[in-house]
Amino acid sequence: MSPRRVAVTGIGVFCASGKNRRRFWEALTSGRSAIGPIEGFGELRFPNGAQIRDYCPLDQFSEKEADFLDPFAQYALIAAREAVAAAGIQWTAQLRRQTGVITGSCVGGKLTEDRAFRELYEEKKTRFHPMIIPRTMANAGASAITMEFGLTGASFTISTACSSANHSLAQAFWLVRQGSLEMAIAGGSEAPFTTAHLKAWEALRVMSPDTCRPFSKDRRGMILGEGAAMLVLEPLAAAKARGATVYAELAGAGMNADAHHITQPSVEGAARAMELALADGGVPADAVGYINAHGTGTPANDPVESKAIRRLFGAHADRIAVSSTKSMHGHGLGAAGAIEAAATVSALDTGVLPPTANYTTPDPECDLDVIPNEARRAEIEYALSNSFAFGGLNAVLAFRRYNP
Amino acid sequence: MPESILERVIRVIASAQHMPPEEIHPGSTFEELGIDSLDGINIVFALENEFDVNIPDEAAKSIRGVGDIVQGIDKLLAEKQGPSG
């Protein structure tokens, strides 16, 4: 018996580029970057980020719900609500038992933690707010989603730095494909804009002093983003039976470890992760037409990722369009893979490839077709979405255009 | 008239629960007010700050309603003041 095919039937996005999927996709296909001045955190060597502007939790939650949820968990729930609504799910008791929620988060409830620690160390308060533990735990978003919809299937959170959401989507995909779940809500969320966390990124000296220019010769580093994206995954047969809109298929997933360096990427590891995703989905390498790159815009990542693509695809690499949408929505850390999966699925669904924004100058070290600055129409059969985390933990997703 | 302990307790519960103070009465139980154990912990934290007292874990666990709180706070404030006379 051939394995079940898995469909993406719902997408929700909440990030600096757009507070829902439609606005997000409009921004990305217009090549519009959401990167701007970081507000409210004092002096930093990197002045810009992709922050969600004008966020008011009480537009989305009751006061009491907001009390219990750090912004990173709020974002997860907002994206899940949109994805579930888009999927048009009719919940039954049985479906609720067979649906799981799998989320990624790199840093958990940093905002809550930062405020609490400031109260303790700086303001010398002796009492801690009782909600700090439930607000900061990395699974807070997943738990909130299970409670909102009454979902009792296998649910958990994966933390693998910048690959967290891709690992989560891959795991959810496998659980649905093998029949352990009949539906999954999977993705990632992150709210990393806090004073201490920004200073920690500053200290690592990987942040761009201007903007994020992936694959461009004048790139100077990464730009932090925030937000969430969630996908609804279900067996293709079930989606067809209930007449759901299928945005794309999730065809394969690959994971591996570089076992190389805590921050430096590896050509071999990245190439192997992509190769594993192709093998897992039975995807012919020459059918891949688009790659949503990890593309952080750091001097180290982009040439390594370019070489990995060349190593794996050989001459076909010249026929693959590659873009980094981090140039627009920033690096969402534990949400990155989910936001980029939403972009990749939307590209297959609409036949428009999002560009690499802020691109100025070709770099011979990154000699790929990087879709500079302007979106492009292209009907693509298969697309990859790459995540290569600090610590060398890689996860790659292979999506397929849905041909009814 | 300064605010009484009862009035302050009701204000703290109303604020922690995001509910109108008019719905809280001297005899209200947590159960009646829909306050679960986690809400209770939040209210204890807010009371500690309001009255600048430390509410021991055992006392916190035994709270069932507004009456228990007022009684307990009275006792803690008296202990804080030390023996009178």
Side-chain angles (χ1 to χ4, degrees), chain A residues 63-320:
Chain A
E63 284 174 306
K64 212 165 152 205
E65 283 175 317
D67 282 353
F68 280 80
L69 298 172
D70 182 89
F72 95 99
Q74 295 175 11
Y75 298 165
L77 191 47
I78 292 167
R81 284 172 176 171
E82 186 191 7
V84 166
I89 302 162
Q90 298 290 321
W91 294 112
T92 63
Q94 190 182 350
L95 183 57
R96 286 193 162 101
R97 272 198 306 276
Q98 294 172 331
T99 299
V101 180
I102 302 171
T103 64
S105 167
C106 175
V107 300
K110 270 280 170 282
L111 216 65
T112 298
E113 193 175 82
D114 200 39
R115 276 188 200 141
F117 289 1
R118 186 196 306 254
E119 285 178 6
L120 183 69
Y121 297 136
E122 190 176 299
E123 298 167 22
K124 308 291 180 200
K125 286 198 179 167
T126 54
R127 296 186 191 101
F128 248 21
H129 194 283
M131 285 305 109
I132 294 165
I133 295 296
R135 279 175 64 106
T136 52
M137 59 193 190
N139 60 305
S143 297
I145 296 167
T146 65
M147 288 184 269
E148 171 110 349
F149 299 104
L151 311 177
T152 55
S155 298
F156 48 93
T157 294
I158 295 173
S159 188
T160 48
C162 316
S163 294
S164 302
N166 261 17
H167 276 113
S168 301
L169 283 160
Q171 191 62 58
F173 161 63
W174 285 338
L175 288 172
V176 171
R177 186 172 70 178
Q178 76 189 27
S180 302
L181 291 174
E182 287 303 316
M183 186 175 278
I185 299 169
S189 79
E190 207 78 80
F193 285 87
T194 77
T195 305
H197 197 59
L198 292 171
K199 291 302 283 184
W201 278 109
E202 181 184 83
L204 196 58
R205 297 179 186 273
V206 293
M207 306 307 283
S208 169
D210 52 11
T211 190
C212 178
R213 305 183 192 281
F215 305 112
S216 189
K217 187 151 180 75
D218 54 354
R219 70 185 175 281
R220 298 180 70 186
M222 58 181 266
I223 286 284
L224 209 54
E226 65 175 338
M230 295 289 158
L231 303 186
V232 174
L233 305 178
E234 62 185 301
L236 180 62
K240 279 158 82 168
R242 70 181 186 87
T245 300
V246 176
Y247 295 98
E249 285 181 60
L250 183 40
M255 303 175 180
N256 70 341
D258 294 340
H260 167 61
H261 191 275
I262 196 67
T263 57
Q264 290 300 314
S266 140
V267 174
E268 200 181 344
R272 178 73 181 142
M274 289 185 276
E275 187 179 22
L276 288 166
L278 298 182
D280 182 63
V283 180
D286 59 8
V288 174
Y290 170 65
I291 298 175
N292 188 299
H294 187 54
T296 55
T298 58
N301 176 83
D302 299 357
V304 166
E305 189 168 8
S306 302
K307 282 185 187 73
I309 290 169
R310 288 221 163 265
R311 178 176 297 186
L312 178 63
F313 290 97
H316 180 65
D318 289 324
R319 292 188 293 277
I320 302 176

Side-chain angles (χ1 to χ4, degrees), chain A residues 20-34:
Chain A
N20 58 46
R21 186 219 172 196
R22 187 177 58 79
R23 287 183 183 280
F24 164 76
W25 191 236
E26 274 171 13
L28 259 58
T29 50
S30 311
R32 198 161 65 231
S33 176

Side-chain angles (χ1 to χ4, degrees), chain A residues 63-64 67-68 119 126-131 134, chain B residues 17-18 38-39 41-42 45 48-49 52-54:
Chain A
E63 284 174 306
K64 212 165 152 205
D67 282 353
F68 280 80
E119 285 178 6
T126 54
R127 296 186 191 101
F128 248 21
H129 194 283
M131 285 305 109
Chain B
Q17 289 298 106
H18 304 291
L38 190 59
D39 295 329
I41 293 168
N42 269 325
F45 169 72
E48 286 186 325
N49 288 327
D52 192 24
V53 292
N54 290 316

